[in-house]
Amino acid sequence: MSELVPGGNVPLPGGMLTVRVPGPFDVSALVTDDSGRVGGDGDFVFYNQPTAPGARLRGDTLTLDPAGLRAGATRVTVVVSAADPGTPLARLPVPTLHVTDPRGRPLVRFAPPSPRQETVLLLAEVYRRGGGWKLRALGQGYADGLAGLARDFGVDVVEEGPAPPSPPTAPPPAATTSAARPTATAVRPSAPAPSRTPASASAPTLVRPSGPSPEPDGFLALVNRDRAAAGCTPVAVDTRLAAAARAHAAAMAAAGRLGTEGADGVSLHQRLTATGYQYLAVGEHLVSGPRTPAEFVAYCLRADRTRRVLRDPAFTHTGLAHVRDGRTGDTYWTALWASPLTPAGLARTEADVVHLTNGERARAGLRPLGVDPLLATVARAHSADMVARRFYSHTSPEGSRPWDRAAAAGSTRRTIGENIACGQRSPAEVVEDWMNSPGHRANILKPDFTHIGVGFAGGGPAGTYWTQLFGA
């Protein structure tokens, strides 16, 4: 997988691409030719017009078939804006682009520099080069929002106005999930602003209708009926998860936006661990729009990503809450899913990471790593420390480094290496991310290493923290 910086580009394989920007954002796309001109209404893909030749938008995911674009189209620009119109992007998590191939394998990840006053951001563009297609990371935006977009692309955009008095309909749900962040060093040079030639085309009106307040009942029965049909065991409501969900839904309503972190700087996962619930596996749905639990569950079942969370067999407990923003009438939903931390479950999770790591070494013709209990203790302590003190680094706040921590615990290993990651929700996901990162892959496949210790901890801003400590 390629990690891009602004201005960076990468060739794309043939076939369909999936472009996803999780979070409290509206994703849209502009189809243009080499001059940057839109050809008409159909070239603007957004929530009120989600399809065009070669492009389809569902929630936070844009599916592109470059070969299927309209005649003359040579570029698709991916645009993000706040789901709450007019909200500066600086108030939201950084919009991160994830691109996967037709088999779901990650191709590209791009996290732009943190926006400031921008309300609309050009995140990336897929463009034709010779006989193939490439993706370029952009990361430039407009402080004047849709007006800037219209100016540069020639798109007529009608800003949202008051809701009409006709019978209300539910707004399209929006959702966010936590992003996985293996540690890495990246330089983000500024990229030149793109040159655009205005065109004379119009686009549909962006409208977000409002809906009545939600009904609170029936969630668990709906969920367990679907889980049973999928062959999963039922979940039970846990009052601690429900309390954390209620606090987070209220924080989102107070801020007027979706996000895993409230305006108070407290993350959803910190709210959960503050109730005393220590978890081994965790998932969440953060959604605005549905009016009833039935609509909420229907939304969660509509997309594969959100459906997998609801049906995940690892979860045993759930909690749901919704809070209405009295200023806008929007309803903010939080659903938490978790399984409790047990000594046996923690040992199994960490052993799975070791097993998957040794599988990668076996494929490279390397001998397996033996488990060193002392390294495992140090790795587990570092993951727990990152959760407790809200940092994410190989170096602790007081300056200790991996080899310092290993030596302080009594290790006599001559060489020490460390991989850390946060946000991944399973051993398979974290090992895959490490293997897709050159520096982490080098540690996993280093022939000199003979032993390993793995540590996991749940909580903190990212939800999950993982540490691999290698020794020779």
Side-chain angles (χ1 to χ4, degrees):
M1 180 178 68
S2 298
E3 293 268 355
L4 294 183
V5 297
N9 64 80
V10 63
L12 297 170
M16 303 281 287
L17 300 169
T18 298
V19 179
R20 185 169 68 89
V21 186
F25 308 108
D26 281 335
V27 180
S28 54
L30 290 154
V31 181
T32 63
D33 57 19
D34 283 334
S35 71
R37 294 178 178 272
V38 293
D41 291 1
D43 282 350
F44 188 22
V45 180
F46 69 115
Y47 50 77
N48 273 357
Q49 182 172 277
T51 59
R56 177 170 55 88
L57 178 66
R58 293 190 65 181
D60 62 7
T61 301
L62 178 70
T63 303
L64 290 177
D65 178 11
L69 295 172
R70 66 163 174 84
T74 58
R75 185 172 304 173
V76 178
T77 303
V78 179
V79 181
V80 293
S81 57
D84 182 10
T87 300
L89 291 170
R91 292 176 52 192
L92 305 177
V94 173
T96 302
L97 183 85
H98 300 266
V99 183
T100 55
D101 68 9
R103 298 177 61 181
R105 295 174 298 190
L107 296 173
V108 176
R109 183 181 181 275
F110 171 54
S114 297
R116 296 183 180 179
Q117 298 179 351
E118 296 92 337
T119 56
V120 172
L121 196 68
L122 307 182
L123 198 53
E125 60 183 3
V126 175
Y127 62 99
R128 188 162 61 200
R129 181 68 69 208
W133 290 81
K134 302 183 75 173
L135 182 141
R136 179 184 292 116
L138 298 177
Q140 294 102 32
Y142 303 94
D144 53 351
L146 296 173
L149 191 75
R151 181 179 62 248
D152 281 1
F153 287 86
V155 178
D156 290 337
V157 177
V158 179
E159 294 280 8
E160 178 181 356
S166 56
T169 57
T176 187
T177 56
S178 302
R181 298 188 295 131
T183 183
T185 301
V187 179
R188 288 175 172 168
S190 59
S195 174
R196 301 291 179 197
T197 303
S200 56
S202 62
T205 303
L206 285 82
V207 177
R208 280 188 178 275
S210 61
S213 60
E215 299 291 336
D217 301 322
F219 170 69
L220 190 64
L222 290 166
V223 165
N224 282 334
R225 187 180 307 128
D226 182 80
R227 286 176 65 91
C232 300
T233 56
V235 292
V237 170
D238 186 286
T239 56
R240 294 165 295 181
L241 270 66
R246 189 176 307 111
H248 196 72
M252 292 193 298
R257 59 180 173 86
L258 293 170
T260 57
E261 186 174 283
D264 55 3
V266 180
S267 75
L268 171 63
H269 307 100
Q270 289 171 300
R271 298 186 204 281
L272 177 53
T273 54
T275 68
Y277 190 104
Q278 300 296 316
Y279 57 81
L280 185 64
V282 68
E284 65 279 333
H285 291 108
L286 307 180
V287 180
S288 66
R291 298 166 298 180
T292 66
E295 288 184 3
F296 175 84
V297 172
Y299 165 74
C300 294
L301 293 175
R302 200 164 61 199
D304 180 64
R305 179 174 53 86
T306 51
R307 185 168 55 245
R308 285 200 306 268
V309 174
L310 189 147
R311 295 177 177 174
D312 194 324
F315 298 140
T316 58
H317 295 128
T318 188
L320 176 74
H322 61 272
V323 174
R324 189 170 183 268
D325 182 350
R327 300 162 299 179
T328 65
D330 293 335
T331 300
Y332 291 85
W333 296 75
T334 299
L336 271 166
W337 313 83
S339 59
L341 180 70
T342 63
L346 179 60
R348 183 172 60 252
T349 295
E350 293 171 347
D352 286 347
V353 174
V354 173
H355 174 74
L356 291 166
T357 298
N358 279 333
E360 297 293 346
R361 288 178 64 89
R363 277 186 281 278
L366 300 172
R367 61 186 177 184
L369 301 172
V371 174
D372 182 328
L374 192 150
L375 292 181
T377 299
V378 175
R380 189 178 293 175
H382 188 59
S383 290
D385 192 28
M386 289 191 289
V387 168
R389 294 200 281 174
R390 298 185 60 184
F391 75 96
Y392 179 69
S393 174
H394 294 291
T395 304
S396 70
E398 64 272 7
S400 70
R401 294 171 295 178
W403 39 91
D404 301 322
R405 294 188 290 270
S411 175
T412 58
R413 301 283 174 195
R414 300 186 309 277
T415 304
I416 295 291
E418 184 179 79
N419 285 344
I420 60 174
C422 66
Q424 295 84 354
R425 301 306 174 89
S426 69
E429 185 179 345
V430 72
V431 173
E432 180 182 12
D433 275 7
W434 277 328
M435 288 299 292
N436 285 328
S437 172
H440 304 90
R441 180 187 181 94
N443 270 345
I444 289 174
L445 301 183
K446 186 171 182 177
D448 293 346
F449 285 141
T450 57
H451 289 80
I452 188 174
V454 172
F456 165 86
T464 58
Y465 290 77
W466 308 80
T467 301
Q468 282 181 318
L469 201 57
F470 303 91

